[in-house]
Amino acid sequence: MLTAGALLPAARPVAALADDAADLVAGRSKTCVKCSLVNAPLKHKDLAGANLSGADLSSAVMHRAKLGGVKFDGANLTDANLNKTDLKNASLVGAKAENAMFYESDMSAADLSGANLTDAKMGKAFLVRAKLDGAKLSEAILSGARLDDASLRRADFSRANLVEASLRRAVLEGANLDNAGLISAVLRDANLKGAKLTQADLYGADLSGADLTGADLSGARLTDAILTGAILDGAKLTGTVMPDGSVHK
C-alpha cells in the first residue's frame, strides 16, 4: 500500500545539484532547478530555453548572455548582472531580483509577474509587451526604458525613475507611482485608471489620450504636460500643478 509520502518526488541530493550547476556552467546542460549558482560566471553563455526555476543566481554574471525563454520562476537574482542580455519571452514569475542590473536588456514579452525588482537598474531596457502585474519596482531605475503595451496592473513603481520612459498603451490600472519620476515620459493612450500618482513628477510628460479615471494625482507636477484627450473623470487633483503652472485646489 502506497503512503502519501511515497507519492512525492524524492529530493535530489546536494551532490547531484552541484553536478547540475557544473554542467550548466560548462555548457553541457540547460537544466539546473533549485541549484546554487551564486557568483556563477555565465557571461555570453547561450542558455536560451534553460530551466533555472528556484535557482540561486545571486551576484551571478550573465552579461550579454542569451536567455530567451529561460525559466527563472522563483529564482534568486539579487545583485545579478544581466546587462544587455536577451531575455525575450523569459519567465521570472515571483523571482527575487533586488538591485539586479538589466541595463539595455531585451525583455520583450517576458513575464515578471510578482517579481521583486526593488532598486533594480533597468535603464533603457526593452520591455515591450512584458507582463509585470503586481511586481515590485520601487526605486528602480527605468530611465529611457521601453514599456509600450506592457501589462503593469497593480505594479509598485513608487519612487522609481521613469524619466523619458515610453509607456504607450501600457496598462497601469491600480499601479502605485507615488513620487515616481516621469519627466518627459510618454504615456499616450495608457490605462491609468485608479493609479496612485501622488507627488509624481510628470513635467513635460505626454499623457494624450491617457485614461486617468479615478487616479490620485494629488501634489503631482504636470507642468508643460500634454493632456490632450486625456480622461480625468473622478481624478484627485488637490495641490496638483497643472500644465499652465496653476495649482489645482
Side-chain angles (χ1 to χ4, degrees), residues 47-237:
L47 296 171
N51 186 355
L52 300 171
S53 300
D56 186 352
L57 289 140
S58 53
S59 298
V61 179
M62 291 172 271
H63 180 78
R64 288 188 182 276
K66 295 180 180 178
L67 303 169
V70 171
K71 289 185 179 180
F72 284 117
D73 297 345
N76 183 1
L77 295 159
T78 302
D79 295 315
N81 181 345
L82 296 105
N83 287 337
K84 300 187 177 183
T85 55
D86 177 357
L87 281 156
K88 293 190 291 290
N89 299 298
S91 180
L92 292 90
V93 176
K96 184 179 180 182
E98 294 105 318
N99 203 44
M101 296 182 287
F102 296 90
Y103 179 76
E104 286 190 352
S105 291
D106 187 348
M107 305 169 79
S108 53
D111 189 348
L112 297 99
S113 298
N116 188 343
L117 295 148
T118 301
D119 203 31
K121 313 305 187 280
M122 306 173 77
K124 296 185 179 180
F126 195 77
L127 289 145
V128 173
R129 299 185 309 282
K131 187 176 181 180
L132 292 102
D133 295 341
K136 297 178 182 178
L137 296 119
S138 57
E139 300 188 33
I141 297 174
L142 291 137
S143 52
R146 291 285 303 277
L147 292 133
D148 302 332
D149 299 298
S151 182
L152 310 167
R153 291 179 179 86
R154 298 178 299 282
D156 181 4
F157 287 97
S158 56
R159 300 179 300 283
N161 180 345
L162 288 149
V163 174
E164 296 183 348
S166 179
L167 295 118
R168 291 176 174 86
R169 299 173 301 280
V171 179
L172 288 145
E173 193 168 357
N176 182 3
L177 291 146
D178 289 347
N179 288 284
L182 290 148
I183 296 172
S184 300
V186 180
L187 291 139
R188 294 177 188 169
D189 301 310
N191 179 352
L192 288 148
K193 291 180 179 178
K196 294 179 64 180
L197 290 144
T198 56
Q199 303 296 323
D201 194 345
L202 291 143
Y203 180 92
D206 186 352
L207 288 151
S208 54
D211 190 345
L212 291 146
T213 301
D216 189 350
L217 289 146
S218 302
R221 182 168 75 144
L222 290 165
T223 309
D224 291 338
I226 301 171
L227 293 170
T228 306
I231 302 171
L232 292 159
D233 295 345
K236 297 179 182 179
L237 298 166

Side-chain angles (χ1 to χ4, degrees), residues 32 36 39 42-43 46 54 100 111 137 155 161 188 193 215 239 249:
C32 202
S36 177
N39 295 309
L42 300 169
K43 185 176 180 179
D46 183 355
D111 189 348
L137 296 119
N161 180 345
R188 294 177 188 169
K193 291 180 179 178
K249 295 181 180 180

